[in-house]
Amino acid sequence: MASARVCLQWTLILFNTFSVIIGILAIVAGVYELEKFTDGSAEHTEKIVQLAAASVLVISAFIGCCGAVNGSIKILCLFIVILVGLIASHIWKLWRYDEGKQLTATEMLVTYTWIAELVKPGAMIEMQATYECCGKKSYVDYTSLGLELPRSCFRVQNGMRAVYPFGEGCMSAVKKAYLTIYRYERLAHWSLIGFEVLGILLSIILICKLTAKTRRYRY
């Protein structure tokens, strides 16, 4: 029985080590994506919530480790409560999942960037280079206005620029890229729910083992 309890304690410590890694990766991803959205927008608020949930996950990992190492039932109960709260945040995010809304936000981003390009050339450079696209709908957006195609519209390899520009417009390329990321995020939320449920089950089993140990000592 003692060996089983120790095994559970180390399993929970390992679980929380993974939680720290996942939480830190989620924070990095959230900070990177936060810059893509306008302050005060619904998408910006959701990313703030994501960052908060990731931070709580990291904090909960330390609490879980503390509870496992010390064999404290109270700390493990607190750990379970935090995990339940995190699961609720994932469910909230999945409930708000809306691909149409995401595509609309992406369209606005590309449109504003293109308008900025027309006002001050250079605004599209990063987007075009990152997503290998040219113009809003195609490179014709430049040529139809008598504008020279920027270097970011061409694939560059070993310092040599390709002869032909990217055939896809940024509206199409960025929408596809963002939608793929959005779908991966949905999968990540479902995976985290399963991961956190596992943490709750491990904690409950460990609490039962610790409770049984206390009862034996009383007898």
Side-chain angles (χ1 to χ4, degrees), residues 9-162:
Q9 287 175 302
W10 279 107
T11 301
L12 198 55
I13 290 170
L14 183 61
F15 170 87
N16 285 296
T17 301
F18 281 115
S19 295
V20 171
I21 296 172
I22 292 170
I24 291 173
L25 291 176
I27 290 172
V28 172
V31 170
Y32 173 75
E33 293 180 2
L34 194 65
E35 299 177 353
K36 299 178 181 179
F37 302 104
T38 307
D39 290 352
S41 65
E43 294 77 14
H44 188 270
T45 301
E46 288 182 7
K47 291 303 172 185
I48 293 294
V49 173
Q50 178 182 321
L51 283 171
S55 300
V56 172
L57 179 61
V58 173
I59 294 170
S60 72
F62 289 104
I63 294 174
C65 280
C66 184
V69 171
N70 295 306
S72 172
I73 295 176
K74 290 182 179 180
I75 295 177
L76 288 172
C77 287
L78 174 60
F79 177 60
I80 290 173
V81 170
I82 294 173
L83 289 183
V84 170
L86 286 173
I87 290 173
S89 72
H90 296 310
I91 293 173
W92 174 81
K93 176 65 178 179
L94 291 169
W95 176 68
R96 290 176 58 85
Y97 183 83
D98 188 338
E99 288 190 358
K101 184 178 178 181
Q102 175 67 22
L103 290 174
T104 299
T106 306
E107 288 176 0
M108 292 175 62
L109 172 66
V110 176
T111 299
Y112 289 153
T113 307
W114 174 247
I115 292 173
E117 171 75 13
L118 296 178
V119 175
K120 185 178 180 180
M124 291 283 290
I125 289 178
E126 183 178 354
M127 182 179 289
Q128 290 173 157
T130 301
Y131 299 100
E132 296 190 341
C133 55
C134 186
K136 181 181 177 182
K137 294 183 178 179
S138 73
Y139 67 89
V140 177
D141 291 330
Y142 283 103
T143 57
S144 62
L145 296 173
L147 301 173
E148 182 180 353
L149 293 178
R151 186 179 178 84
S152 58
C153 274
F154 297 85
R155 181 174 286 103
V156 178
Q157 189 173 7
N158 298 326
M160 299 294 292
R161 194 185 78 173

Side-chain angles (χ1 to χ4, degrees), residues 197-209:
V197 166
L198 175 61
I200 291 173
L201 291 175
L202 288 172
S203 300
I204 291 174
I205 295 171
L206 181 55
I207 288 172
C208 291
K209 293 290 184 182

